[in-house]
Amino acid sequence: GAPLLEVLHEQNWETLFPRLGAAVADLHKSAMPGLRPGPEMTDALKTAADDAAELVLLAPQLREQITLWLDCLTAQQNTFAQENLPLATTHGAIRLEQMLLRGPELALIDFDALALGDPCADVAEFIASLQFLELSQGGLRSRLLEATQLFLRGYSQPAPWAAAPKRVAWYALAFLLSKMFLAVKNLDRRSLQYLESAGMLMGQQWYDQLEKC
């Protein structure tokens, strides 16, 4: 099959993204005995904090806003620690780059990080990566936001649990910090053009969702 990211603009998004959501839900529902425990929220927070520390060294003008986001992630993680979390078979790196398409057939690849973990982390990783295309490819904001809703709709129908908006927002903000750091570290010129505009706006929207939920 063809890498989905390479043929994305040839597809009908109205039908594609609900299919992607359903495919991720099917993975989460599958029973695979013997899976290792997946990363916990404390692991995601540490990675985000480490990457954010490097990011503000390279882009000090972002320090104030990113510090605010990290404080919010830390406070909310303490709240989530009191919850009973659903565990599922998680991919651990669920992005468009990990999907192949051939006609009506869809395949997920790269299962190195397969684990028993929080399904909201997979959902948030997919959404954060999808929306980050606004930076790496330019424009597309309204279409990507619409694709996010289509994905969530396709996921929620077969999934036996809700993709809790606040948990998804928490992971998405954590993952976004790492994606922003990698864009700066790798001198991704296309993403860097939009980092302080679209990238910061994206993070602020996740932050606002965490604060109001």
Side-chain angles (χ1 to χ4, degrees):
L4 180 53
L5 189 57
E6 294 182 6
V7 297
L8 183 62
H9 299 292
E10 303 171 9
Q11 307 304 310
N12 180 345
W13 288 21
E14 292 285 340
T15 56
L16 172 65
F17 281 95
R19 284 177 59 201
L20 299 182
V24 174
D26 286 343
L27 172 65
H28 287 171
K29 291 189 299 179
S30 63
M32 299 187 187
L35 287 176
R36 61 188 174 184
E40 299 182 356
M41 295 188 91
T42 51
D43 300 312
L45 179 58
K46 183 180 186 307
T47 298
D50 289 347
D51 288 345
E54 296 291 334
L55 174 60
V56 297
L57 288 177
L58 298 171
Q61 70 276 18
L62 306 181
R63 181 182 299 275
E64 182 177 355
Q65 196 66 37
I66 286 176
T67 299
L68 185 66
W69 296 351
L70 280 174
D71 288 345
C72 177
L73 289 174
T74 301
Q76 296 289 356
Q77 191 272 326
N78 291 332
T79 301
F80 289 134
Q82 312 302 318
E83 297 180 352
N84 292 321
L85 308 179
L87 294 177
T89 299
T90 55
H91 184 278
I94 195 78
R95 302 185 294 272
L96 289 172
E97 296 93 322
Q98 312 291 11
M99 298 176 174
L100 301 177
L101 195 65
R102 183 175 63 188
E105 298 178 324
L106 172 70
L108 300 178
I109 61 173
D110 190 4
F111 291 95
D112 291 347
L114 198 69
L116 188 66
D118 184 350
C120 284
D122 267 359
V123 172
E125 168 68 15
F126 182 87
I127 292 172
S129 298
L130 175 65
Q131 294 188 358
F132 201 76
L133 292 178
E134 181 181 349
L135 277 70
S136 61
Q137 298 192 10
L140 299 175
R141 175 177 299 178
S142 60
R143 290 200 71 198
L144 293 171
L145 291 174
E146 180 183 359
T148 296
Q149 295 307 312
L150 291 168
F151 171 82
L152 287 170
R153 188 184 310 161
Y155 179 85
S156 63
Q157 292 175 355
W161 46 72
K166 193 166 185 175
R167 292 181 66 79
V168 170
W170 189 95
Y171 278 114
L173 181 56
F175 294 150
L176 176 64
L177 285 169
S178 294
K179 294 179 189 304
M180 292 173 70
F181 166 61
L182 288 175
V184 175
K185 177 183 177 182
N186 297 331
L187 297 177
D188 180 347
R189 294 184 180 180
R190 190 66 181 268
S191 297
L192 288 175
Q193 293 181 61
Y194 303 101
L195 190 68
E196 294 187 45
S197 53
M200 295 303 289
L201 175 60
M202 200 177 299
Q204 188 62 35
Q205 288 172 338
W206 290 122
Y207 169 82
D208 290 343
Q209 187 169 339
L210 274 173
E211 287 289 283
K212 73 179 181 182
C213 286

